[in-house]
């Protein structure tokens, strides 16, 4: 057989081949939105062609052949847009929405092992349960006997137990899809607890969805955002951006199950063995199933005969919630006025205010028999009951006394009797709240530490450390 013509072999055009070194080992690195957009006059073909012509045989795995656009780097992070960047894309003063995304590392929505994982010997799947905040009741026996909705894929198990790049990208895609009619939208983000594998990420969106089609109240409860939270095991808190979001001057707290982990009235009931009866009424009242004032009188009547010195004994039993001391110290350092507005009882509210450096304490007053020094089972009639309406009125009056606009106030609580003040405040946060409250409150958080509330003010982990340090 004749040998092949060498001239023909050398002049035949070679088929272009994408070298292995041009591909990274990560799908995310190849497709992440954090890379600058490709200029209009530049395509992937131009890039590959210029690389070959210049004699560059390979690119490093993390190299980006497209030079960054310095105009896209801002103080709040990298701007992401599906459009090619242009100067002054959005006019100055365009409204912004801040989304603070918290990864729920302590309370995973999907506690079961992923199907791709091999279960360890002895591991059993947990009993089915209703996620907190997703229904008026978490009692499986009270749920309608209908086929359950399919569970979303537990994506955090696949891409990491933190706010991953793909998690953030998914959120940006959801926000891009919400405005009707469609508006051009720019977004930026910053990791405010740590850069590597962040648990808390703050996302800025501008402009927000058109309120004529999607109000801000409806945006906070949008089904797409709720499903995103379930898929990625996160919580999203949405706020309108303004100077008042970042600078609060008055913060009011509920006491029981918020600043402390106990329900005081239940602890008092233990002294005379009526804890079960009192606790059942308390739970129903906090879930909004009973009128608070009527239920309080009923519970107090069961406390007749309790020694009046019970408050002193309870001080050694009550447990201050994780992060409460640090939260109050940071807020006081920033110059905030603090108040505890409790449906509990005044002696313990005053004690807690002293422990945490809180300026005001308002709670209910139990009547004491001066002869026997025991509780009479009645409330002192001269003092109004601190119910939902009273809490809202106290929030407004304290703010007015100090000349603080309501937009610079924040309220934190967990029960149905906190809902009115949560809606009245500039920011109302349902902290590890009852199911009904989580559904109806403006925002909700279910973290491990109350310090998480400081992230809603735009503070970083380093800021919080500085505010809570002993040297401050």
């Amino acid at each position: 057989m004749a040998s092949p013509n060498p001239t023909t072999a050398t002049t035949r055009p070679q088929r272009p081949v994408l070298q292995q070194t041009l591909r990274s080992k990560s799908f995310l690195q190849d497709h992440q939105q954090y890379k600058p957009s490709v200029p209009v006059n530049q395509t992937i073909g131009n890039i590959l062609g210029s690389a070959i012509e210049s004699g560059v045989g390979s690119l490093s795995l993390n190299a980006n052949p497209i030079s960054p656009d310095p105009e896209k780097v801002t103080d709040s992070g990298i701007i992401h847009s599906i459009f090619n960047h242009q100067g002054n894309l959005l006019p100055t003063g365009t409204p912004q929405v801040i989304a603070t995304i918290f990864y729920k590392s302590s309370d995973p929505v999907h506690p079961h092992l992923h199907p791709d994982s091999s279960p360890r010997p002895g591991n059993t799947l947990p009993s089915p349960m209703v996620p907190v905040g997703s229904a008026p009741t978490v009692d499986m026996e009270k749920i309608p006997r209908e086929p359950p909705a399919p569970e979303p894929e537990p994506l955090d198990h696949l891409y990491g137990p933190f706010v991953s790049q793909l998690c953030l990208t998914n959120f940006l895609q959801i926000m891009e899809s919400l405005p009707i009619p469609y508006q051009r939208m720019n977004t930026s983000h910053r990791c405010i607890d740590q850069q590597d594998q962040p648990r808390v990420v703050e996302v800025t969106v501008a402009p927000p969805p058109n309120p004529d089609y999607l109000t801000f109240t409806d945006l906070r409860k949008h089904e797409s955002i709720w499903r995103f939270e379930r898929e990625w095991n996160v919580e999203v808190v949405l706020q309108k951006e303004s100077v008042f979001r970042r600078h609060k001057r008055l913060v009011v707290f509920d006491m029981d199950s918020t600043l402390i982990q106990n329900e005081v009235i239940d602890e008092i009931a233990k002294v005379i063995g009526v804890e079960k009866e009192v606790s059942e009424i308390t739970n129903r009242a906090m879930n909004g199933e009973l009128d608070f004032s009527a239920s309080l009188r009923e519970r107090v009547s069961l406390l007749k005969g309790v020694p009046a010195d019970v408050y002193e004994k309870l001080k050694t039993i009550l447990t201050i919630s994780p992060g409460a001391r640090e939260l109050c110290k940071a807020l006081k350092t920033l110059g905030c006025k603090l108040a505890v507005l409790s449906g509990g009882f005044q002696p313990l509210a005053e004690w807690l205010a002293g422990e945490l450096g809180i300026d005001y304490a308002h709670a209910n007053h139990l009547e004491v028999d001066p002869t026997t020094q025991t509780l009479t089972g009645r409330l002192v009639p001269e003092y109004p009951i601190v119910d939902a309406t009273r809490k809202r009125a106290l929030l407004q009056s304290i703010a007015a006394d100090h000349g603080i606009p309501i937009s610079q106030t924040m309220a934190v609580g967990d029960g149905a009797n906190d809902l009115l003040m949560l809606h009245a405040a500039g920011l109302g946060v349902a902290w590890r709240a009852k199911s009904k409250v989580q559904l109806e409150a403006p925002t909700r958080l279910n973290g491990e530490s109350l310090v998480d509330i400081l992230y809603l003010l735009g503070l970083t982990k380093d800021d919080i450390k500085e505010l809570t340090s002993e040297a401050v």
Side-chain angles (χ1 to χ4, degrees), residues 74-80 90 94-101 168 171-172 175 185-190 201-208 238-241 245-246:
T74 66
D75 290 339
S76 59
I78 305 299
I79 293 179
H80 314 283
L90 295 174
T94 299
Q96 297 178 333
V97 166
I98 301 296
T100 310
I101 304 176
L168 179 57
F171 179 74
L172 298 176
M175 296 303 294
M185 181 179 289
N186 276 352
T187 60
S188 61
H189 80 279
R190 62 186 184 125
V201 174
E202 183 182 273
V203 181
T204 304
V205 177
L238 296 177
Q239 302 178 75
K240 293 180 180 179
E241 173 64 317
R245 175 188 79 89
R246 301 185 297 274

Side-chain angles (χ1 to χ4, degrees), residues 199-216:
R199 186 180 65 88
V200 189
V201 174
E202 183 182 273
V203 181
T204 304
V205 177
N210 190 327
D212 293 336
Y213 296 87
L214 182 63
T215 67
F216 185 67

Side-chain angles (χ1 to χ4, degrees), residues 407-444:
S407 56
Q408 284 188 275
T409 65
M410 179 165 62
V412 184
D414 75 298
N417 61 325
D418 297 315
L419 278 171
L420 291 184
M421 76 172 183
L422 295 183
H423 283 287
L427 174 63
V429 182
W431 176 257
R432 300 185 68 87
K434 310 303 184 289
S435 297
K436 177 182 178 179
V437 183
Q438 298 219 25
L439 288 171
E440 297 186 14
T443 62
R444 53 177 166 73

